[in-house]
Amino acid sequence: MRDAWKHFTTSTKRPVFPEFLLLITIGILWLLCNTPTVYKLMAGGLLFATLLTIILAIFRPKQLSTTVAVLMLLSLTNGLMQFDYIPALMLWLLCFLRLVQSTRRDAILLILITLTTTIVASLTATLYLPSIALDYDHQMAFNIICLFITVIITGFHIWRLISLVHDARHKLSQQKQRTQSLVNITNQLARFLPPQVWQPIIHKQSLVEVSSQRRKITILFSDIVGFTDLSDKISADHLAHILNTYLDRMTQITLKHGATLDKFIGDGLLCYFGDSGNHNEREDAISCANMALEMRREMQTLRQQWRLLGFEGLYVRMGINTGYCYVGNFGSHNRMTYTVIGKEANLAARLESSAQKNQILISESTYHLISHEHHCQPIGELSLKGIQETTKAWALSDPDFNTDHYAKWVDYQLPGFNLQLNVQDIHNYDRRSITNYLIQALDLIENNTETDADTDTNAENSAKG
């Protein structure tokens, strides 16, 4: 019963008009009072109009016409029936409460209707209706009853507004929870797709359908040489740790250079540039070459870490090609994947499988786009599996730090010594720390050199003695 009453009083589908209670009471009291016949007729008309408005409110609860009818009844009653100031104030209060609950779009219209109806009714009563004055006892009783009923109606409105606010807050809290849940789910699902795929879907709400476009893109295939042999020698836990560390570092590099990371293929990966169609093909090829070099340098760092754990012999190899392919959503309407297909993608895969450990092979089309920026060593013509013609290939080399053109990169290794320096990636606030570490390394080398010299001297003296 309590839930049904709450639903009735707070339902937005069927608005409640408790003002009917006051209108009916005023009509009955006016009929019972010692008033002229014309006012008794108006009281009867008020009761009849109130009943019609109740029927209208039942069948057309959310219509603007229902609210207009209620306000006009209140205004007519206030203007025509020459009340004392207490009933008049009560009617004005109920009009104000009804206007407050109306929408902002309809508020101006309702205010104009209320004021116009009140003014016209007041002028009509002043000019054409006889004046009336109830005796003191009847007037006091009339005022008290109207005041009591108005207090009840006002309290009902306040209680209803409080209930609506409480329900609105509860719904807002639930909506926030659902929104946060959807955001969390979206963030989780986004980790399975490249940003170039899910960002347009979420931000621009673009249509998802099976479609593809022909674009000139630069494609990179990469995998780890020796990973299969390593899987037979170490436990699955260590193998998973190595693979996840490698893929995590490579993913960060692809995001840094703006590549589309298509998929992981075991211990390898496929990524490409230019699928959005907003970039220059030369810039895409140069970015892909820079990314490949950084991947190989990062693999050197990982190899040093894994060597300390007892895992050696892990090198990366890559193949890069530039050409026209079809890129987009492939599959069915129920399930699809964003990828690239075409013979140029197959050529990049064949170059990767033909590369030696720690080697980056590029095709002729890619070479012509990046040769002015990167040093490439000719490999010759290769016979690749599945490709009839021989393919010219070049090996992408790291920049030569002895030349001015590539003076921002240093990579030097000796037994017990490994130095990798990329000036472009160094922040100003890190320069002092790097300098301090280099000074500590020099001091350590000098101290160790002096210790070795003293040891050799003592050994010679002992031999002479």
Side-chain angles (χ1 to χ4, degrees), residues 360-374:
I360 304 173
L361 290 184
I362 63 174
S363 65
E364 184 176 9
S365 57
T366 305
Y367 169 77
H368 291 313
L369 294 173
I370 69 171
S371 58
H372 66 289
E373 287 284 340
H374 292 278

Side-chain angles (χ1 to χ4, degrees), residues 396-412:
L396 183 62
S397 302
D398 280 310
D400 186 1
F401 64 89
N402 291 320
T403 63
D404 295 335
H405 185 66
Y406 300 108
K408 294 185 177 181
W409 167 254
V410 176
D411 186 3
Y412 189 70

